[in-house]
Amino acid sequence: MRIDCPHCGSRDVQEFIYLRDAGPRRPDGMAATLAEMHVYLHERDNPAGRHRELWYHGSGCRAWLVVTRDTRTHAVFAVEALPASVESAST
Amino acid sequence: MRYSIFSLLRQSWAGHTGWTPAWRDAAPKSDYDVIIIGGGGHGLATAHYLASQHGITNVAVIEKGHVGSGNIGRNTTIIRSNYLLPGNTPFYELSLKLWEGLEQDINYNAMVSQRGVINLYHSDAQRDAYARRGNAMRIAGVDAELLGKEEVRAMLPFFNYDDARFPIQGGLLQRRGGSVRHDAVAWGYARAADRGGVDIVQNCEVTGLAIEAGRVVGVETTRGPIRARKVALAVAGNSSRLAAMAGLRLPIESHVLQAFVSEGVKPLIDTVVTFGAGHFYVSQSDKGGLVFGGDIDGYNSYAQRGNLPVIEDVMESAMALWPGLGRIRLLRHWGGIMDMSMDGSPIIDHTPIEGLYLNAGWCYGGFKATPGSGWCFAHLIATDKPHPVAAAYRLDRFATGRLIDEKGVGAQPNLQ
Amino acid sequence: MSPQPFRTPAGGLIDRAKPFGFSFDGRRLEGYEGDTLASALLANGVRLVGRSFKYHRPRGILSAGSEEPNALVELRSGARREPNTRATTAELFDGLEAASQNRWPSLDFDLLSVNSLFGSALAAGFYYKTFMWPAAFWERVYEPLIRRAAGLGRAAVAADPDHYEKAFAFCDVLVIGGGPAGLSAALSAGRAGARVILCDEDFALGGRLLSDRRMIGGRPAADWLAATLAELESMPDMRLMRRSTVFGVYDHGVYGVVERVSDHLPTPPPFQPRQRSWRITAKRAILAAGAIERPVVFAGNDTPGVMLAGAVRSYVNRFGVLPGREAVLFTTGDDGWTTARDLADAGARVVAIVDARAEIDAGLRALAERIGARLVTGAVVESAHGGKALRGISVRNAAGHHVEMACDLLAVSNGWNPTLHLTSHQNTRPVWDATIAAFVPGAMPPGLVAAGSAAGRFRLEQALDGGARLGAEAAAECGHGRGAGTTDRTADDEGLPATPVWRVSGGSGRKRGKAFVDFQNDVTDFDIELSAREGFRAVEHLKRYTTLGMATDQGKTSNVSGLALMAEQTGKLIPDTGTTIFRPPYTPVAIGALGGHHRGRDFRPTRISPTHAWSERQGAVFIESGAWIRAQYYPQPGERDWLETVNREVLAVRAGVGVCDVSTLGKIDLQGRDVGVFLDRVYCNTWSTLPIGKARYGLMLREDGFVMDDGTTSRLADDHYLMTTTTANAGKVMQHLEFCHQVLWPELDVRMVSVSERWAQAAIAGPRSRDVLRGVVDGQHDISDDAFPYLAAREVTVGGGIPARLFRISFSGERAFELAVPSGFGDAMMQAIMASGRDYGITPYGLEALGVLRIEKGHVAGSELNGQTTARDLGLGKMMSSKKDYIGRLMATRPALVEAERPTLAGFRPVDASQRLRAGAHFLGLGQPASIENDEGHMTSTAYSPHLRSWIGLGRIRNGATRIGERVRAYDPVRNGDVVVEICNPVFFDPEGARLHG
């Protein structure tokens, strides 16, 4: 399997580490309930089909990426860099 | 017909014309007391024990493909009860005891072979961790022995002891562990359940769960709707998909685990061995093939196949442990889809939907659990109370924190 | 050495000027360069090559390729013994040793052939129905017998002496197969300028052109082959890989390939591997793997001397060998007739041609007449006889009468199955093509197309045209234009297969000989009937119940026949019965090749500290610690054991000063406006208040509320922090911090980089540590207690201006510092410290002493931070801030994580000070029996404390903190341990911490 890193180009899956589904947002720990944090942490999207997921290019540019992939065929539809950090947020 | 040496010889004389199908290929009735979704090992075992232990026989096992076409026939056939945590050990020990009497119970030779399971250790810290586990086993009444390097060498002389990156220091041995002919487990349970009156309905895919006022009342299938008072899910690998039909999100990801078999060779290794410095375990089947496995590929998948990095990783560990394997050839590799739970342990529980029961999250420990899982799931379905040894396998434990995390890696399924 | 009685006087692609001696079962024989072991055996008249798996029936050579089910041998000897090697693909070399396998005592007289007599009882699945009584007999009696009888060849026991490599390659077009279709494809893609790799499992390129007498463009195909190869070799971006099998298709155009670099040589040349495994990434791939001929199922069809007709042509035309002198052809189509022609032309007598078809073309009739073969049409071969070598056959003619014929070779032609295995590696299924009665590729893995016979287009012209077209298309899809150059691709006429005969029934009941579907696994037509009768009708059930297709050939010659027979049983069509799915690898691959050089000490990388050489010079004993090799202790002459050494090191630290390498700790440099806020969110304690020039101990939780890691982090400047992590978790923490920043809080101004390997770091610990450092740190830096108190952290210089970092932190509980210098100065730093410390008796100490010192102080480490513990469990609950959000905050409040009775950290001492403690022991109440209910926790770490003159331990026990002074059992049955211990404060030494401040 290969992942087309937006920073590094097409690379072997061996360079990447999978984490989890990309959809759920971490709730603010001061505002959220325990139940909400439990749902965020444990209840995962797990479809047979198109899936948005977080991958880390650990042996490459160290960027976290959002990969859209079919879990039945492993076909990759999109690899997106995360919204950039402070520079673009502040300009 | 009862299977025995006598029936075999009789039939052999008669040209084997008198055998009948091992189980009926039943058509679905319109209504059952219990529908079990999933004709794999766990579903069939559940059906068998519902009939034989609880007298509940108006039961259908609904299977989308053929009996045993899922993980029961795609695993590395290992049985053991060498668990650390009190939520697990008694359950797997019950399962192992059921394996020990399985053939006589179901009148089918599944070739349960207690040839021992050794977990190798390669450092002082790993030795102490295995000592902790072995002590936990002994405290739970399970057999366990901590072996030193020379004891391991005597049993497995051809491993790499002297020129290894991570030298073998010893191993934790469970003599009662071993291996089983995996397909025969599915077929044997199917035959036994069928003889107990259960309908085994193949080529019948569940397309929906019928839920009325928070209570399950049946299933929709490719062969029409079927009513039932209780519906039980035993579809590891696909648990999330089925649960989604009831609007449930589970603490589970589906991952591919690859398994491997070599060409058949004359007997080399008697026990099951796990390498402690990499992801690799190996045993030899009665046919002579070395059966081995490693780590999951690490990404969500329903594809029943994996990729080269993990394949090579497994072979590297194989060569590191056993440098004589170099010229033995890999014959086949394949993948099975695992329900990876958030603490590495399974779920046998009610769901929030009345009458809907869940048996899921087996990670890659499902095969050895087959009899115990069926036994305890049948108990839950029949009595609506968890079986004492499976009482920790609650669906709500992730919310309450009553986790059963043997590895201590937390809510990250691809590390479990 | 014997002559080669079955070698033709001339012809073939062997080099008769290069004879090779070889041995089979100890018999000295001779062949030629260009032979396979199989062709050389046949040249010598060796027919009986192996014994079958279950019935131990005599078996010969069926095929001439990697589909061979029967002729498996043990190749080479000693540590290089290779079981189950196909004689049909093993390239002959001078001195080759081969032995038959799975027979006892000899191939000719195999006692286990007695199994054949009980054949009826040993039908498919018999073992599931018996061996159940008495229960204990399975492991003790039945199974050992079965295991000994089963298996095939004997593997080597010693370590494989050869080397293996891994390699990676990238190309536009990967062509799989070097026959006419593949070569055409490579040619057109190469002419277009594409980067092409062509792989073929054979040692010679050409595919069937090597075995069949064909014409291309009006000239012998050999001319076309030579010209094509010459042009391909001349292309700069063309890699032709002979002896290279594409064994698997993986995601996104990744192909697994094994190259047999040296298997055709007695031993690999110097610095060459035996095999090399490739991961080839191709934008497009063309499967041109040809086709595999299929046998017919009839009684005795496994008799040595019954061969596939195409294989017979290979032996005659390519290898110059007559597989028999009195031959019969059994064919179901025109294709087989060329075998009769070629046999006759090579000097064999073709006794008869048995054609299943009633109507035969006049041209073929004329051929039969020309070669003097008796023609029997509308007929089938009902049985073959002869045991260890074919002696005759029984033919049932159109009228139903039996005709007996004597012969020593029966060539069987029953059509071909496309070699489509790779197309199903991603679980896409082939489809049935009724016109050729075969499965052809259906849906394909992305980027892969099939050409020629592999696509079911069997004619040579189709192969040449299809290959050329697909090669050009693939190149175009990779952005290349059309290439120049033309090739005449007209081929001579050829006959094609007609309607296959799947099985010849007949003979009567139990008297009929066995008719094999799967030769290698001894699956008969009868087994398939039985499987149907018992309900194992689905293809997966059929395979698993009968073992059809599960042998080392993966059913290359049997799967389709098996389906056809099941279809007969169930009254269905073949495609409705099921399809064949093949799993990788296409042919078995040596485990060594896939492991590459990752074995022995090179299994995994070895990380060494920048001070490693210094430790070596001090005589350190080293130990593996994860990926690192670390100094365990530094023995002195005269010390009797490791404990004596470690005791000396520990005492030296507390009494004077010691130095220890701590470079392996993870170090993460964090810079930016918001690092303080960021640290507040990733650590459970507070960071934004940390003054510049100060270090603080931090505890990091996972989001699930359990402890993830700990370490000290220092603030070097307003916007500059340096985090340390444990050695084991360095990578994991880095990934976690990147996640927290990039995914959770990208708005924070934080930049981070791992600097673990940039700095060498040493702990200087003990009452005299500052004195030692005074001689190391440049004079302008004030490191007095006032200027540099406990938890000070600053950038300094050493050695006259070398940048360094100094931290006053302590794992040992002593006045202690950690000094970091750029890695390249690590050795110099240690020398400087030692030189400065000489007057104070400075003592190097290793990992063991470090462990003793930290256990004496009750500091937690890896075995306490094992992922199963909360901050409260470790007595660190007070560190958890309630004023801010941080990773793990909420989940740490789950009910089960805050229960009072959770096992918490405590210290343990044996009541009898002479008794040893061991980590991994469980705690039981005194006098309580061992049971899960009575299990109160376990010992996590132990050490011998030379100060207390006793073993001490840390552990977790229910309500630990409230039970100081209580006695319990440390129960360790796996090491026969059962020690009464007293629960105590986990800080055994200097509980007030007075020594920290000097």
Side-chain angles (χ1 to χ4, degrees):
Chain A
M1 189 150 94
R2 297 184 67 81
I3 291 176
D4 199 358
C5 174
H7 308 295
C8 310
S10 170
R11 298 295 183 93
D12 196 284
V13 68
Q14 207 162 351
E15 295 186 6
F16 300 84
I17 297 167
Y18 173 85
L19 186 72
R20 56 166 299 171
D21 51 347
R25 304 296 296 250
R26 181 183 187 272
D28 182 290
M30 298 303 275
T33 63
L34 183 57
E36 286 164 346
M37 192 61 89
H38 154 67
V39 166
Y40 159 75
L41 183 60
H42 293 127
E43 295 187 356
R44 304 286 173 97
D45 294 338
N46 189 20
R50 195 175 275 252
H51 187 221
R52 272 168 58 79
E53 53 202 24
L54 287 166
W55 290 77
Y56 177 58
H57 196 183
S59 301
C61 59
R62 294 193 282 117
W64 281 90
L65 305 170
V66 177
V67 176
T68 308
R69 192 177 57 98
D70 192 316
T71 58
R72 294 164 304 183
T73 64
H74 301 164
V76 171
F77 305 112
V79 184
E80 304 158 69
L82 285 162
S85 59
V86 65
E87 286 97 343
S88 57
S90 61
T91 52
Chain B
M1 191 189 313
R2 195 173 164 75
Y3 290 163
S4 70
I5 185 68
F6 306 109
S7 61
L8 180 65
L9 290 176
R10 227 172 14 247
Q11 281 302 318
S12 160
W13 188 250
H16 292 287
T17 49
W19 299 115
T20 53
W23 62 86
R24 293 167 299 126
D25 194 11
K29 295 191 296 188
S30 61
D31 194 4
Y32 289 94
D33 290 335
V34 179
I35 285 176
I36 297 164
I37 304 175
H42 290 222
L44 293 165
T46 304
H48 167 63
Y49 294 123
L50 272 177
S52 68
Q53 302 300 313
H54 302 280
I56 300 173
T57 59
N58 185 25
V59 175
V61 176
I62 308 282
E63 166 56 44
K64 73 176 173 189
H66 294 97
V67 157
S69 52
N71 291 336
I72 187 76
R74 308 177 78 86
N75 58 77
T76 46
T77 80
I78 297 165
I79 61 168
R80 57 184 173 87
S81 60
N82 55 359
Y83 280 76
L84 168 69
L85 299 175
N88 276 329
T89 321
F91 169 81
Y92 285 99
E93 181 57 15
L94 169 72
S95 199
L96 192 55
K97 289 212 168 84
L98 290 169
W99 283 120
E100 286 170 331
L102 183 72
E103 282 127 352
Q104 290 67 33
D105 177 25
I106 64 175
N107 181 230
Y108 205 90
N109 186 2
M111 305 181 204
V112 175
S113 176
Q114 294 181 282
R115 43 190 55 258
V117 172
I118 299 181
N119 301 123
L120 297 175
Y121 59 82
H122 307 259
S123 68
D124 291 355
Q126 205 171 20
R127 175 201 61 212
D128 292 342
Y130 279 144
R132 179 190 172 197
R133 189 201 292 205
N135 288 332
M137 292 163 65
R138 294 279 284 269
I139 286 169
V142 180
D143 70 302
E145 297 165 49
L146 196 69
L147 307 181
K149 176 177 172 177
E150 293 311 316
E151 291 164 287
V152 173
R153 195 201 290 264
M155 294 176 75
L156 301 157
F158 34 77
F159 284 179
N160 183 2
Y161 295 89
D162 303 315
D163 183 37
R165 175 71 183 80
F166 301 106
I168 296 167
Q169 289 195 12
L172 180 67
L173 168 65
Q174 184 183 22
R175 291 191 191 272
R176 287 166 58 245
S179 61
V180 180
R181 168 81 184 111
H182 57 4
D183 289 323
V185 177
W187 302 337
Y189 272 124
R191 178 165 166 273
D194 175 79
R195 283 153 54 113
V198 171
D199 278 357
I200 294 171
V201 183
Q202 302 181 102
N203 296 308
C204 181
E205 183 165 2
V206 170
T207 55
L209 297 171
I211 295 165
E212 293 171 6
R215 178 174 181 92
V216 70
V217 294
V219 298
E220 312 289 333
T221 77
T222 50
R223 295 172 74 171
I226 312 173
R227 305 279 294 181
R229 272 154 289 293
K230 294 182 175 180
V231 173
L233 303 183
V235 292
N238 288 288
S239 298
S240 297
R241 295 175 54 206
L242 269 291
M245 293 177 186
L248 302 174
R249 278 168 69 88
L250 296 183
I252 283 172
E253 290 178 355
S254 295
H255 283 255
V256 61
L257 176 68
Q258 302 194 65
F260 310 83
V261 65
S262 78
E263 294 184 345
V265 287
K266 291 293 178 195
L268 281 172
I269 181 169
D270 250 348
T271 49
V272 180
V273 179
T274 68
F275 184 40
H279 296 282
F280 176 67
Y281 45 94
V282 62
S283 63
Q284 187 168 19
S285 78
D286 284 345
K287 269 189 73 185
L290 297 170
V291 181
F292 43 107
D295 201 5
I296 52 177
D297 269 40
Y299 43 80
N300 285 28
S301 175
Y302 287 89
Q304 295 196 322
R305 59 186 173 77
N307 277 293
L308 277 171
V310 167
I311 297 167
E312 292 184 8
D313 181 77
V314 170
M315 302 305 152
E316 289 165 7
S317 294
M319 287 300 288
L321 177 66
W322 187 352
L325 284 179
R327 304 176 102 86
I328 295 181
R329 299 183 195 90
L330 170 67
L331 173 59
R332 273 197 309 277
H333 68 80
W334 63 93
I337 303 307
M338 313 289 117
D339 267 9
M340 297 303 295
S341 73
M342 295 294 146
D343 63 356
S345 293
I347 297 158
I348 301 178
D349 203 357
H350 301 92
T351 68
I353 315 254
E354 208 182 329
L356 183 65
Y357 302 82
L358 179 66
N359 175 318
W362 289 96
C363 300
Y364 32 71
F367 177 70
K368 72 181 87 69
T370 304
S373 168
W375 185 275
C376 295
F377 202 32
H379 182 98
L380 176 73
I381 295 164
T383 67
D384 271 317
K385 293 190 186 66
H387 189 281
V389 301
Y393 296 151
R394 298 282 306 271
L395 179 56
D396 70 0
R397 70 178 185 268
F398 303 96
T400 62
R402 287 180 214 293
L403 307 165
I404 317 166
D405 187 353
E406 294 257 335
K407 282 194 181 170
V409 297
Q412 196 167 332
N414 58 353
L415 298 180
Q416 285 293 349
Chain C
M1 243 175 272
S2 57
Q4 300 175 37
F6 288 83
R7 190 72 74 177
T8 57
L13 302 174
I14 45 164
D15 187 345
R16 291 168 198 257
K18 290 190 185 149
F20 285 162
F22 71 103
S23 72
F24 180 66
D25 279 345
R27 217 178 123 194
R28 300 285 301 149
L29 300 166
E30 190 174 271
Y32 294 119
E33 182 174 298
D35 263 327
T36 61
L37 174 60
S39 67
L41 286 170
L42 289 170
N44 286 279
V46 177
R47 299 296 190 83
L48 175 61
V49 177
R51 288 277 173 171
S52 72
F53 178 72
K54 185 155 82 173
Y55 301 123
H56 290 252
R57 286 174 62 107
R59 290 286 166 80
I61 294 163
L62 180 74
S63 75
S66 61
E67 69 272 32
E68 177 62 34
N70 287 334
L72 307 186
V73 300
E74 290 172 358
L75 200 66
R76 306 175 194 262
S77 59
R80 288 197 167 89
R81 186 167 65 206
E82 292 155 34
N84 310 331
T85 303
R86 290 166 179 75
T88 50
T89 58
E91 210 173 327
L92 197 68
F93 56 84
D94 198 36
L96 178 147
E97 286 176 82
S100 58
Q101 55 184 38
N102 199 33
R103 79 291 187 270
W104 190 84
S106 74
L107 180 59
D108 200 46
F109 177 73
D110 179 1
L111 275 179
L112 275 172
S113 58
V114 70
N115 282 358
S116 257
L117 299 179
F118 300 111
S120 175
L122 306 187
F126 76 96
Y127 27 73
Y128 300 127
K129 295 172 181 148
T130 182
F131 303 131
M132 286 177 278
W133 185 89
F137 266 41
W138 174 250
E139 283 97 340
R140 292 197 205 136
V141 181
Y142 305 129
E143 194 180 34
L145 288 172
I146 291 173
R147 283 172 82 89
R148 224 166 302 152
L152 291 165
R154 297 164 306 149
V157 174
D160 188 341
D162 290 338
H163 293 275
Y164 298 88
E165 281 181 2
K166 297 189 192 191
F168 295 77
F170 297 81
C171 62
D172 291 327
V173 184
L174 172 67
V175 180
I176 303 161
L183 292 171
S184 282
L187 195 61
S188 63
R191 283 174 176 170
R195 296 172 69 195
V196 179
I197 298 175
L198 180 145
C199 296
D200 195 292
E201 62 180 353
D202 204 334
F203 54 90
L205 295 178
R208 285 302 304 175
L209 296 181
L210 302 174
S211 296
D212 286 338
R213 295 153 65 195
R214 301 301 306 272
M215 306 287 280
I216 298 174
R219 299 174 53 79
D223 293 355
W224 178 88
L225 183 56
T228 302
L229 288 177
E231 185 175 347
L232 292 175
E233 302 272 11
S234 74
M235 292 178 175
D237 276 337
M238 175 71 55
R239 182 196 285 268
L240 301 180
M241 294 176 63
R242 295 169 177 86
R243 304 185 177 98
S244 298
T245 304
V246 178
F247 63 76
V249 183
Y250 301 94
D251 284 312
H252 309 152
V254 177
Y255 295 81
V257 179
V258 63
E259 179 187 8
R260 286 171 293 277
V261 179
S262 309
D263 276 355
H264 60 297
L265 303 170
T267 55
F271 309 110
Q272 285 295 310
R274 175 186 167 224
Q275 299 184 353
R276 187 179 284 132
S277 79
W278 290 81
R279 212 183 284 181
I280 296 182
T281 303
K283 292 178 187 148
R284 293 289 182 274
I286 296 168
L287 179 70
I292 293 171
E293 198 165 19
R294 51 198 180 205
V296 178
V297 179
F298 58 85
N301 63 342
D302 62 331
T303 310
V306 179
M307 291 179 75
L308 295 170
V312 171
R313 295 204 294 280
S314 292
Y315 291 115
V316 170
N317 296 325
R318 177 173 174 184
F319 298 106
V321 170
L322 286 180
R325 293 205 175 91
E326 305 277 319
V328 173
L329 169 72
F330 175 23
T331 185
T332 63
D334 292 355
D335 177 55
W337 283 71
T338 56
T339 303
R341 180 199 66 191
D342 293 356
L343 274 168
D345 289 354
R349 177 169 165 249
V350 179
V351 177
I353 296 172
V354 179
D355 196 319
R357 298 169 299 177
E359 301 299 324
I360 305 293
D361 177 79
L364 295 179
R365 285 182 179 280
L367 172 61
E369 210 160 298
R370 171 171 84 74
I371 63 176
R374 174 178 176 186
L375 176 59
V376 194
T377 59
V380 290
V381 174
E382 197 174 86
S383 60
H385 322 286
K388 291 172 198 161
L390 183 66
R391 286 202 306 269
I393 58 171
S394 182
V395 174
R396 190 174 67 223
N397 67 17
H401 297 134
H402 289 87
V403 185
E404 305 297 321
M405 294 179 188
C407 59
D408 64 356
L409 172 67
L410 176 66
V412 178
S413 171
N414 192 33
W416 299 73
N417 291 320
T419 306
L420 45 67
H421 305 64
L422 296 179
T423 70
S424 61
H425 280 185
Q426 299 198 352
N427 296 341
T428 49
R429 286 170 187 276
V431 295
W432 183 252
D433 182 343
T435 61
I436 57 169
F439 285 102
V440 295
M444 301 277 273
L448 182 68
V449 291
S453 298
R457 294 187 281 276
F458 292 128
R459 288 182 183 279
L460 178 54
E461 280 188 3
Q462 290 176 314
L464 295 168
D465 287 338
R469 180 174 54 79
L470 291 173
E473 283 175 11
E477 284 164 6
C478 297
H480 299 280
R482 247 178 209 290
T486 55
T487 306
D488 184 348
R489 295 194 292 263
T490 56
D492 54 338
D493 282 347
E494 62 194 300
L496 284 179
T499 318
V501 172
W502 298 114
R503 157 164 84 155
V504 180
S505 46
S508 55
R510 296 176 56 233
K511 291 245 172 67
R512 175 177 176 249
K514 287 191 169 59
F516 289 91
V517 182
D518 182 324
F519 293 94
Q520 195 179 132
N521 265 350
D522 276 346
V523 180
T524 65
D525 58 345
F526 179 83
D527 289 323
I528 291 172
E529 289 174 21
L530 177 61
S531 181
R533 196 173 301 137
E534 296 197 80
F536 295 94
R537 297 171 169 220
V539 60
E540 279 300 317
H541 284 164
L542 166 67
K543 286 174 70 168
R544 289 157 182 266
Y545 193 64
T546 65
T547 73
L548 172 80
M550 306 292 267
T552 69
D553 59 340
Q554 274 211 54
K556 291 187 176 68
T557 55
S558 64
N559 281 347
V560 177
S561 312
L563 277 178
L565 264 59
M566 181 54 81
E568 269 180 32
Q569 292 300 311
T570 55
K572 290 181 180 172
L573 298 172
I574 291 173
D576 298 335
T577 303
T579 51
T580 51
I581 282 275
F582 298 93
R583 296 194 174 118
Y586 168 64
T587 51
V589 178
I591 289 169
L594 291 166
H597 64 266
H598 293 262
R599 52 185 287 201
R601 293 185 191 273
D602 297 331
F603 166 52
R604 290 290 176 257
T606 300
R607 300 181 73 180
I608 56 170
S609 152
T611 68
H612 185 84
W614 172 83
S615 284
E616 276 182 332
R617 294 199 302 277
Q618 310 305 309
V621 170
F622 292 94
I623 187 170
E624 296 82 13
S625 171
W628 294 91
I629 302 284
R630 299 183 67 180
Q632 191 179 14
Y633 50 91
Y634 298 82
Q636 296 272 317
E639 288 175 340
R640 283 158 305 177
D641 61 10
W642 66 273
L643 187 57
E644 186 179 345
T645 303
V646 173
N647 287 343
R648 171 181 52 77
E649 293 174 8
V650 170
L651 292 168
V653 170
R654 298 227 186 273
V657 60
V659 59
C660 177
D661 175 69
V662 293
S663 305
T664 61
L665 292 173
K667 306 172 205 71
I668 299 170
D669 196 284
L670 296 121
Q671 301 190 33
R673 235 176 13 247
D674 300 323
V675 175
V677 178
F678 182 70
L679 294 178
D680 276 344
R681 295 184 190 179
V682 297
Y683 277 124
C684 72
N685 49 330
T686 302
W687 287 84
S688 38
T689 56
L690 181 70
I692 294 168
K694 280 287 191 183
R696 181 171 286 173
Y697 175 72
L699 192 67
M700 205 178 275
L701 308 188
R702 297 189 307 233
E703 189 67 280
D704 68 353
F706 290 86
V707 175
M708 177 178 183
D709 200 53
D710 70 347
T712 55
T713 289
S714 307
R715 189 172 189 179
L716 299 175
D718 184 44
D719 59 353
H720 187 190
Y721 292 70
L722 183 72
M723 175 185 288
T724 57
T725 74
T726 60
T727 300
N729 287 332
K732 195 160 89 181
V733 170
M734 185 70 198
Q735 177 187 337
H736 174 66
L737 296 188
E738 297 273 25
F739 169 81
C740 290
H741 178 228
Q742 296 180 35
V743 180
L744 300 184
W745 306 303
E747 70 281 5
L748 295 184
D749 179 22
V750 176
R751 290 291 180 273
M752 67 188 87
V753 67
S754 166
V755 294
S756 299
E757 293 177 1
R758 306 297 301 164
W759 296 89
Q761 195 154 320
I764 304 99
R768 308 308 297 268
S769 55
R770 195 186 54 199
D771 300 324
V772 174
L773 269 174
R774 190 58 279 165
V776 176
V777 174
D778 288 344
Q780 71 270 30
H781 305 288
D782 184 355
I783 58 168
S784 66
D785 277 346
D786 288 342
F788 209 88
Y790 180 55
L791 292 177
R794 255 174 251 159
E795 293 185 301
V796 295
T797 57
V798 295
I802 297 165
R805 288 166 176 173
L806 186 64
F807 312 91
R808 183 150 173 202
I809 52 181
S810 177
F811 201 43
S812 58
E814 297 300 318
R815 174 213 294 269
F817 297 82
E818 289 187 10
L819 178 66
V821 297
S823 298
F825 292 102
D827 199 288
M829 171 180 70
M830 296 309 268
Q831 291 185 53
I833 292 169
M834 288 302 284
S836 172
R838 189 166 300 125
D839 294 346
Y840 307 101
I842 191 164
T843 300
Y845 65 100
L847 209 48
E848 290 292 334
L850 191 72
V852 176
L853 292 163
R854 73 98 184 166
I855 293 169
E856 286 182 336
K857 288 299 297 178
H859 288 313
V860 293
S863 38
E864 288 79 32
L865 307 173
N866 69 348
Q868 296 168 326
T869 47
T870 66
R872 288 181 195 86
D873 294 345
L874 302 177
L876 301 170
K878 287 191 182 130
M879 291 183 70
M880 296 162 72
S881 166
S882 58
K883 300 197 179 75
K884 54 156 188 156
D885 185 24
Y886 56 86
I887 297 286
R889 191 187 91 91
L890 265 180
M891 298 309 275
T893 67
R894 285 183 285 176
L897 275 68
V898 296
E899 279 168 355
E901 58 272 26
R902 283 183 67 89
T904 49
L905 188 76
F908 298 87
R909 295 177 66 162
V911 171
D912 172 353
S914 70
Q915 286 191 294
R916 179 172 181 169
L917 301 183
R918 284 193 164 90
H922 286 240
F923 299 122
L924 301 171
L926 287 183
Q928 298 293 323
S931 71
I932 290 179
E933 296 68 37
N934 292 335
D935 188 353
E936 302 202 44
H938 76 284
M939 193 88 80
T940 53
S941 306
T942 60
Y944 180 78
S945 168
H947 297 96
L948 303 175
R949 297 175 190 279
S950 163
W951 283 83
I952 57 173
L954 298 176
R956 289 172 54 222
I957 188 165
R958 281 184 212 157
N959 299 307
T962 65
R963 295 169 66 184
I964 306 292
E966 200 179 315
R967 291 180 177 186
V968 292
R969 292 165 70 188
Y971 181 63
D972 188 23
V974 296
R975 289 172 292 200
N976 301 314
D978 194 351
V979 178
V980 178
V981 294
E982 184 181 308
I983 304 173
C984 58
N985 186 326
V987 186
F988 294 88
F989 190 83
D990 182 29
E992 301 78 29
R995 299 172 69 91
L996 276 177
H997 304 279

